[in-house]
Amino acid sequence: MRSFVIVAIMILLIPRLEDGFFDLEFLENYYAENDLNEDETSDDDNYDDDEHWLETEIDYEVKWLMGIESTECEKSSDIQNLTLLSTRRYGKALVIDGLLQSSELDEYVYHESLVHPSLLIHHEPKNVFIMGGGGGYAAREVLKHKHVEKVVICEIDKEVVNLCREHMTGIQDTFNDKRVQIVFNDAKDELLKWEEKIDIIIGDVCDPSESSPSNNLYVKSFYEHVVKPKLKGKGIFVTQAGPAGIFSHKTMFSLVYVTLKQVFAYVVAYTALVPSYGDACGWIMASDEPINIEAKQLDKMIDERIRGSLKYLDGSIIAASTVLNKPLKKSLDEETYVLTEENICFVRGHVQN
């Protein structure tokens, strides 16, 4: 009964896109780019069949539903199961081992937030190492920076790159860019043998789970003995840090924050709402150099360094994203649980489709 009430409340409170609540330019652009109109995407059918919904458990007793048009592709590698869905609101969506990774309509919110703050704060980033990022979107954002000379995508699963190259739109130029080097390996193993120092290391890997190959990329020993030694003196590490909602942030966000605080002198957490996730997402920057976040300076860097324009971020939004609400700030101040190989925590959010 309790679950039913919560789902009913969510349905009542979360308006449909055609009702005008999401009167945003990105939605209009998505319709235009994909030759759609609102009538074509309206919910004409009663989708009561479970097969037509992507179901995500985002918290205890709370599930997030996304309408599915069709399953475009399913693949199983030696590492994980990959599914590409065509959804009724968010375009194509990539699901790995039951976890929603990204959707075409709003992926830029996540990837701009992941990439640009650290690259704008760094004085002159030239080489960037992306842990994961096989979809190509993080590298796409990195390549917008004029000073960048080399981008490494270190993806453990070749099938992720193959699937995205074949089915996802707008990233072919990224994979074909001469500055991009794709390596298929575990990020920890690759970094251990990497010889050159790196300006920016980006963690764009799956949340920890019982079956995830990324669990060892969130622990103190990895940050201390692998990531930090590979950064240049003024280098910055940034990682996605899972859900960052008022009720969901304690499963990963606050734990990654306190773990990085054990290793780096300066650590900054920030968040943004990613609509397709049904929750806020968190990222954390870490460095042994001060991390200065000043809106006017960031706008100046965007004007000087970025080719083209950003769809989501500007200096003020980046600065505002670091202002955490009281429950999050309290958790980050009081958290003491440090992630190690022996006590890694798993994130809720597995889906059924």
Side-chain angles (χ1 to χ4, degrees), residues 77 125 135 145 147 158 168 178 199 244:
S77 68
H145 288 256
H147 293 300
K158 188 174 184 178
M168 303 303 274
K178 294 181 180 180
D199 291 314

Side-chain angles (χ1 to χ4, degrees), residues 24-26 106-114 116-117 141 144 270-275 280-281 283 299 302 309-318 320-321:
L24 301 175
E25 184 179 356
F26 74 79
D106 65 354
E107 55 78 19
Y108 70 90
V109 178
Y110 170 92
H111 290 102
E112 285 191 12
S113 299
L114 171 69
H116 294 296
E141 297 302 320
K144 293 178 181 179
Y270 58 105
T271 69
L273 177 66
V274 180
C281 186
W283 301 267
D299 281 331
I302 290 172
S309 60
L310 302 182
K311 296 173 69 175
Y312 176 69
L313 293 177
D314 61 21
S316 296
I317 294 174
I318 294 172
S321 71

